[in-house]
C-alpha cells in the first residue's frame, strides 16, 4: 500500500515537472500571439465604464473591427456618438448632436488597443514585431495546481532605452495573458487585465477587459456581449458621414495631456 502511494505521488510530481519543463517563455508567448492572430474581425455589443480623473462615465454601443486595426463603435447610451479608427491609425470621436469631432493621430498603431478607450482590435501587433524591440526573459512560475501562473518579462533592448518593460502573467488552461503590466523603473504605469475567457469559433476571447493608466488618471472596463469573430465586412461598414460644418478638436486636449 505504501509503495502504491509512493508511486502515485512520484507519478504526479513527474507529470507536473514534465509539464513545467516542456514549456519555455518563447513558445508560451507564441501560443498567446497565435491565438489573437487568428482574429481577423470582431462584431459585438459593448458596455463600458470609464473613470477619468475620478469621474465615472458609462457607455453602451455596437462595435465592429477588422485587420489591420480598423474600428467603428456606434454608441447609443447615454447618447449617440461614433468612435472609429481609419487605416492610418487615426482615432476619431464624433458627437452628432453638437457636431464635434475629436481626433488623435497615430495613437493606436496596428494591433490591440493600448489606451483603454477602444475595444480590443485585431491587427499586426504580434510577437514577431515585439521581438524587434524586446528580449524575451526566462519563464517564471508561481503557485501550484489551479493557482499556478506563468510570468514572462519582455525587456527592452539596449538600443531602445525609452521603452517600458512589459510583464505578462499567463494562466494555464488557455493562451491568453490575464494581466499585462508596463513598468518604468520600479513603477507600474499601465495595466491591462483580461477575464471571462470563452471560446468563440475555436479562439480564446476575453469577454471582460480592464485597463488602468496612471499617467492619464484613466480606468476602463469593457464587457463584450454576443461576440462574433471572423465575419466579413466591407469598407462601407466603416464609413461615417460628417457634416461640412463639423468642429474638430484634438482628443489629447480632452484627456488633459
Amino acid at each position: 500500500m505504501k509503495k502504491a502511494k509512493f508511486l502515485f505521488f512520484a507519478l504526479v510530481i513527474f507529470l507536473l515537472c514534465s509539464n513545467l519543463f516542456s514549456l519555455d517563455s518563447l513558445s508560451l508567448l507564441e501560443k498567446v500571439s497565435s491565438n489573437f492572430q487568428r482574429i481577423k474581425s470582431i462584431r459585438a455589443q459593448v458596455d463600458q465604464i470609464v473613470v477619468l480623473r475620478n469621474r465615472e462615465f458609462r457607455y453602451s454601443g455596437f462595435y465592429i473591427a477588422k485587420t489591420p486595426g480598423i474600428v467603428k463603435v456606434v454608441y447609443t447610451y447615454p447618447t449617440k456618438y461614433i468612435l472609429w479608427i481609419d487605416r492610418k491609425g487615426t482615432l476619431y470621436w464624433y458627437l452628432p448632436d453638437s457636431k464635434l469631432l475629436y481626433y488623435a493621430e497615430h495613437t493606436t498603431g496596428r494591433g490591440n488597443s493600448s489606451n483603454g478607450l477602444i475595444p480590443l482590435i485585431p491587427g499586426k501587433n504580434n510577437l514577431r514585431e515585439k521581438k524587434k524591440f524586446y528580449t524575451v526573459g526566462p519563464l517564471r512560475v508561481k503557485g501550484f495546481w489551479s493557482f499556478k501562473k506563468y510570468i514572462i518579462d519582455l525587456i527592452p533592448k539596449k538600443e531602445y532605452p525609452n521603452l517600458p518593460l512589459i510583464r505578462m502573467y499567463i494562466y494555464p488552461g488557455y493562451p491568453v495573458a490575464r494581466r499585462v503590466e508596463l513598468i518604468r523603473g520600479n513603477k507600474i504605469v499601465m495595466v491591462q487585465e483580461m477575464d471571462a475567457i470563452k471560446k468563440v469559433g475555436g479562439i480564446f476571447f476575453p469577454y471582460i477587459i480592464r485597463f488602468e493608466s496612471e499617467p492619464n488618471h484613466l480606468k476602463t472596463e469593457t464587457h463584450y456581449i454576443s461576440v462574433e469573430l471572423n465575419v466579413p465586412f466591407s469598407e462601407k461598414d466603416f464609413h461615417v458621414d460628417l457634416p461640412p460644418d463639423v468642429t474638430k478638436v484634438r482628443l489629447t486636449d480632452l484627456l488633459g495631456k
Side-chain angles (χ1 to χ4, degrees):
M1 188 66 178
K2 289 183 179 180
K3 186 176 181 180
K5 285 184 178 180
F6 173 79
L7 291 174
F8 172 76
F9 285 114
L11 179 61
V12 169
I13 292 171
F14 172 77
L15 291 174
L16 287 173
C17 292
S18 298
N19 181 51
L20 174 60
F21 290 111
S22 65
L23 287 173
D24 62 82
S25 55
L26 191 57
S27 63
L28 191 54
L29 284 178
E30 285 174 345
K31 289 180 181 178
V32 173
S33 179
S34 175
N35 179 73
F36 276 115
Q37 288 304 301
R38 293 175 62 194
I39 301 175
K40 305 303 179 184
S41 68
I42 307 171
R43 177 164 61 195
Q45 296 285 333
V46 291
D47 291 334
Q48 291 183 294
I49 301 171
V50 178
V51 180
L52 179 61
R53 300 186 183 277
N54 297 320
R55 293 184 61 193
E56 183 175 293
F57 307 88
R58 291 177 178 264
Y59 305 103
S60 295
F62 181 75
Y63 144 76
I64 58 175
K66 73 171 187 176
T67 55
I70 308 170
V71 175
K72 185 171 78 172
V73 192
V74 179
Y75 289 96
T76 56
Y77 177 85
T79 186
K80 183 177 179 179
Y81 66 89
I82 306 171
L83 181 151
W84 74 97
I85 302 169
D86 64 17
R87 287 188 173 274
K88 296 179 181 179
T90 302
L91 167 69
Y92 298 93
W93 187 1
Y94 176 52
L95 285 67
D97 292 343
S98 56
K99 295 184 180 180
L100 278 173
L101 178 66
Y102 296 98
Y103 69 97
E105 298 173 342
H106 311 299
T107 58
T108 60
R110 288 288 186 262
N112 297 340
S113 168
S114 60
N115 60 28
L117 294 174
I118 307 160
L120 188 73
I121 57 177
K124 297 181 180 179
N125 188 13
N126 57 19
L127 179 60
R128 185 180 301 173
E129 291 184 345
K130 281 188 171 64
K131 285 170 65 178
K132 296 177 184 176
F133 308 101
Y134 288 90
T135 299
V136 180
L139 179 69
R140 291 178 287 150
V141 182
K142 283 190 177 182
F144 298 93
W145 302 103
S146 59
F147 301 101
K148 183 167 63 175
K149 56 187 175 183
Y150 304 108
I151 304 172
I152 301 172
D153 286 346
L154 300 183
I155 305 162
K157 294 181 178 179
K158 292 181 179 179
E159 54 266 42
Y160 304 105
N162 294 325
L163 290 177
L165 181 144
I166 301 175
R167 179 160 294 160
M168 302 178 66
Y169 295 79
I170 303 170
Y171 284 65
Y174 42 77
V176 176
R178 287 288 299 270
R179 181 180 173 93
V180 179
E181 299 173 348
L182 269 61
I183 302 171
R184 294 188 182 279
N186 294 319
K187 188 175 183 180
I188 299 174
V189 295
M190 194 176 294
V191 175
Q192 180 172 284
E193 293 180 322
M194 300 187 184
D195 206 349
I197 312 297
K198 299 178 184 178
K199 251 188 175 183
V200 182
I203 299 170
F204 291 92
F205 188 87
Y207 274 63
I208 300 175
I209 296 181
R210 302 179 185 90
F211 174 89
E212 182 174 353
S213 173
E214 186 170 315
N216 297 333
H217 307 283
L218 174 69
K219 294 181 182 180
T220 70
E221 181 170 312
T222 302
H223 291 245
Y224 297 83
I225 304 162
S226 303
V227 175
E228 296 177 85
L229 301 182
N230 297 335
V231 295
F233 291 116
S234 68
E235 292 296 324
K236 291 189 293 185
D237 293 319
F238 294 89
H239 180 73
V240 178
D241 288 316
L242 297 173
D245 56 343
V246 66
T247 301
K248 297 181 179 181
V249 180
R250 286 189 181 273
L251 183 60
T252 50
D253 297 336
L254 179 68
L255 294 175
K257 291 183 179 180

